[in-house]
Amino acid sequence: MPLRTWATVFLPCAGLLLASCGGGGSSQDVHPGQPIAVSGEGPQSFLVFPNPQVTADGTLQTDSPEYAAAYYRAIDPTNARDTFAKWKALNGFETGTGNEVQVIFGDRRDLGYGRRMTFRTNADGTAAAYVENYVVQAGPGYSYASANLDAAIQRDTRWVVGISAIEYSPGPNGGRPFAKFFNFSAQGARQDLADIDGRGEKAMPSTCLTCHGGRGDPLTPPDARGLRQFAMVESAPSGARGDTLAHFQPLEPDVFGFSATPGYTRAEQEAAIKAINRAILCTYPIAGAASAPEDACRPAARSGEWTAAAAEVIKGGYGGDGLPNAAFSEPLPASWQGHEALYRQVVVPACRACHLLRGTSAQSDIDFASYEKFAAQARGIRPHVYDRGDMPLAKIVYDAFWSDPAAPGVLADFLAGEGVSVRDASGAVPRPGRPIADPGPDRVVSPGPTSLSADASLFATGYEWSLVSGPAPASLGGASSSHATFTATQPGTYTLRLVAMQGGIASAPATLRIVVASSLQPASGAVRFADIKQAMQAPRRCAGCHSPQFGGPKPPVFFSNDDRNGDGIVGDATDDDWLYEVVRGEVNFTDIAASPLLAKPSGRHHFAGQLAGFDASAPPGDPSRALYDLFLDWILAGAPR
């Protein structure tokens, strides 16, 4: 069974505008179109989706020029906004109409910029914002300095590294407004690729969406023009391609840098910041009737739609309903009482900004709006923070977390209280960069040769496989390579061990259980998309809810037979090709066990809970996880068509 090679990738956190996440540092990230390579130095790639849609050649679709081009075709099909001047004109800036507010601050937490932000609202409920970003610094990587803020105040255009913009307006065919993201060069040209943190170019809009709550779904197959279309998020209220369910970030002046220069102090800009936050609140959906005047402008949330935990940050920061306070000062939320150090030192500076805009009203467990939600994710926090190093999700945030003398320990102690061990034998908190072995998920296979891969291992340059136990003799070829071959002819459970190495440092051993089953049907490595589609569309399975006919909250993807390419024919071969891309898009080849195609029906972040046949806690080959084993086998073979 040929095992798909999956690249080692270090999760995202991103955004260009409004307190989004960002980077800095001396090491360069990969550029679009290049596979992400293992590095022994620690995490090197930021502003990348956690599931970057790895293509057949190993490149990352969400970080490709093709992805950016498809996005702009969706939101601006006539290129009416391909320059900053045209974008400003279409949004009514500097015309004397609407309401425009400007603030200037230092982006200390995220991208390091000095930021000159102009926010505009219109009587029809649309809004737009742009930020001139200033960096006074030589060399690769950006970091915050007061000189960046001074340059923004002086509007010294020598130091403009780009202009970021968000437009909240209807799509090309009308409908409900949604957030659209643009990046322009200092000269005003729209950019498909943008270097927003001094670490190399990355593709729009991914650098924005990862920290503005947006989805990173795969592109469609080529249409009649030979062009791939941007994904349709089926639950998007706008019904428009390009609506990724992203949102404005609230402005949190507590984390900004401000000048002592008259006119630009925090106190002098509080009124403008509040006006912008009030306008941002108007773009957030609300469930039920508005109970306060500042909520009257908010769009009504449809069934299952995200209902804005971020709104509570804005309202709480200004004193609750009515926004009575002139200045922003966030209180400790009630659910975090007794956990203030964790909230103030870890969650707010390192986690919340990107998590706050994610989820739906039916699945809001990852927005970290309450202590209970954060605690529910304890077992997933350790591998992301202390092992993979892909959270915190941006370089400046990452560096700030690990340079804080207390934050890593505060988080480690919280995890220990939740039964998750982090500290080593000496009591020290481990930092990402040490080798970690990962042989992939436990699996059930047919008798004969099985390909193994250590490519999911972290910070490793050498590998050693060994056979620990089994009911009968078996062989292991290529035991000192990342790709080994295990061969067993007798049924039973075999245990293998993998040790990863970096220089003279060896990882803790990781085990892999392989159950050899002679009656496995289809045989391992022989599963094809037709088998997966049949399993998903069977009664009481995935397509029961993931379809237009479902009467509950609308899901973001459909697995039913539909007229996907709009040619008037339902469920033909072309529709099947489009469905294949949708299903394959639910596979995370950078972290297979975290693939939504496996995790969701197993009950993680899933509105319907666990489905029959997806008990991932059962051993491989157990009937209670038969469908999990089927889907896993398909993924390990590369998710073949």
Side-chain angles (χ1 to χ4, degrees), residues 591-619:
D591 186 0
I592 284 178
S595 297
L597 194 62
L598 295 173
K600 293 278 188 175
S602 298
R604 282 188 279 171
H605 318 304
H606 199 240
F607 176 71
Q610 186 182 104
L611 301 186
F614 281 95
D615 184 0
S617 66

Side-chain angles (χ1 to χ4, degrees), residues 47-70:
L47 309 178
V48 179
F49 270 113
N51 182 2
Q53 305 297 343
V54 178
T55 60
D57 65 3
T59 56
L60 312 182
Q61 188 183 84
T62 58
D63 194 22
S64 68
E66 183 180 38
Y67 202 77

Side-chain angles (χ1 to χ4, degrees), residues 12-35:
C13 184
L16 298 178
L17 181 60
L18 304 184
S20 60
C21 305
S26 59
S27 297
Q28 292 295 301
D29 291 349
V30 295
H31 290 254
Q34 295 177 318

